[in-house]
Amino acid sequence: MTTRPAELPRASSGQPSRWRVISWQIIGLALILGIWWLVTDVLKLYPPYVFPSPGAVWKEIEYGLFGTGPQDGKLLSAIGGSLRRVLTGYAIAVVLGGVVGLLMGAWLPLRATLGAYLTGIQSVPSIAFVPFAILFLGLNERAVLFVVILEGFIPVALAVSGAILNVPPALRVAGRTLGARGLGLTLRVLLPASVPNILTGLRTAWSFSWRALVGGELLIAGVASLGEQLEVGRNTANVGLVLGTIIIIGIIGGLFDTVLRAIEGRVRRDYGLEVQS
């Protein structure tokens, strides 16, 4: 007769399951929509031209995405134009910020000077750079790209520099013991060990770039963009279009953040920094 060893209780990470979190989010969204519907359609606390109902906003989104009229379908082209600009600017910001961050992490004088300046510039709201970009580059897409790149570049550079500095000293000693020096030590030892923290910086940079994009597009007329749709809604007193565009901006930004957060979580688990729930 064989006896089975008693099963040990499973360790709990203290984190709610993914499905439970999704359920909470769905319930929260339903509550928001319910309160919105109650205020606008039932209690009618505000006239429709001031605060439209969820149904009216959905009609604006539907016309903008799937409508075939002469004034319809513009939201779809606006989304395409904005995504093209932000992805281009974000990619350039990641490359430039990564190179500058590596240099700051490896060279103390550069970190002490440029790092301090970048930290100060990061505190300036992105909308403050738009007038300078327009005067310097003209009233065109290059001005928008400039602001997007600037807002994405700084978080990436600071994140890469900080991540390299926070690598445990034991890894540096081990790398030097194995013969790595200078740039080789940075690329082969410090950079791979910094990947989880760098991913956090990339996610922050995306958020900054996305917000800077919409702020810049608000002032650049004549190009298909989500910022232009906000401006069109304001000029025509179409609050439904304004709210619908804001919702789309939030959904796109949230989707990209979710993808980056999932990649970050996967990498952190691979590095043994998190326990999968």
Side-chain angles (χ1 to χ4, degrees):
M1 180 178 177
T2 59
T3 58
R4 298 177 60 186
E7 293 185 357
L8 295 174
R10 297 182 61 184
S12 174
S13 63
Q15 297 291 330
S17 68
R18 180 181 304 174
W19 292 112
R20 179 174 294 182
V21 172
I22 293 175
S23 300
W24 290 345
Q25 292 172 344
I26 293 175
I27 293 173
L29 177 62
L31 283 175
I32 292 173
L33 291 176
I35 294 172
W36 185 358
W37 171 76
L38 185 67
V39 169
T40 55
D41 278 351
V42 178
L43 300 177
K44 300 184 185 301
L45 297 180
Y46 302 94
Y49 59 87
V50 174
F51 190 22
S53 66
V57 173
W58 168 247
K59 284 183 179 177
E60 288 294 335
I61 295 176
E62 191 176 17
Y63 293 152
L65 294 179
F66 312 113
T68 56
Q71 300 300 321
D72 296 336
K74 293 187 175 180
L75 266 177
L76 201 58
S77 59
I79 292 172
S82 292
L83 283 179
R84 175 176 56 80
R85 288 182 204 94
V86 74
L87 291 178
T88 302
Y90 181 69
I92 296 173
V94 169
V95 173
L96 291 179
V99 173
V100 173
L102 280 175
L103 294 175
M104 287 198 303
W107 193 27
L108 177 59
L110 185 64
R111 184 168 65 250
T113 54
L114 183 60
Y117 299 143
L118 291 180
T119 303
I121 295 173
Q122 193 178 28
S123 64
V124 180
S126 61
I127 196 69
F129 291 104
V130 175
F132 168 75
I134 293 175
L135 293 173
F136 187 64
L137 297 170
L139 197 61
N140 49 49
E141 289 194 11
R142 289 186 300 170
V144 180
L145 271 179
F146 173 82
V147 180
V148 172
I149 293 170
L150 180 64
E151 288 299 305
F153 160 78
I154 297 176
V156 173
L158 294 177
V160 172
S161 172
I164 288 177
L165 290 177
N166 288 325
V167 172
L171 290 179
R172 293 176 182 269
V173 174
R176 291 193 180 105
T177 302
L178 294 174
R181 296 287 188 278
L183 185 60
L185 178 68
T186 300
L187 295 180
R188 296 177 183 175
V189 179
L190 303 183
L191 186 59
S194 307
V195 169
N197 290 329
I198 290 175
L199 287 175
T200 303
L202 294 182
R203 190 160 56 83
T204 304
W206 161 259
S207 176
F208 278 38
S209 295
W210 184 239
R211 284 184 290 180
L213 171 82
V214 177
E217 287 179 341
L218 273 172
L219 302 179
I220 308 296
V223 295
S225 66
L226 290 170
E228 185 201 32
Q229 290 298 299
L230 289 173
E231 191 66 8
V232 169
R234 185 184 71 85
N235 292 332
T236 58
N238 188 344
V239 187
L241 176 60
V242 173
L243 288 177
T245 305
I246 291 174
I247 291 172
I248 290 176
I249 291 171
I251 290 174
I252 295 175
L255 286 176
F256 274 86
D257 184 79
T258 301
V259 171
L260 293 175
R261 190 185 294 273
I263 296 174
E264 179 188 359
R266 176 60 183 270
V267 171
R268 289 180 65 83
R269 286 195 295 273
D270 289 344
Y271 275 68
L273 300 175
E274 285 186 359
V275 178
Q276 188 172 8
S277 60

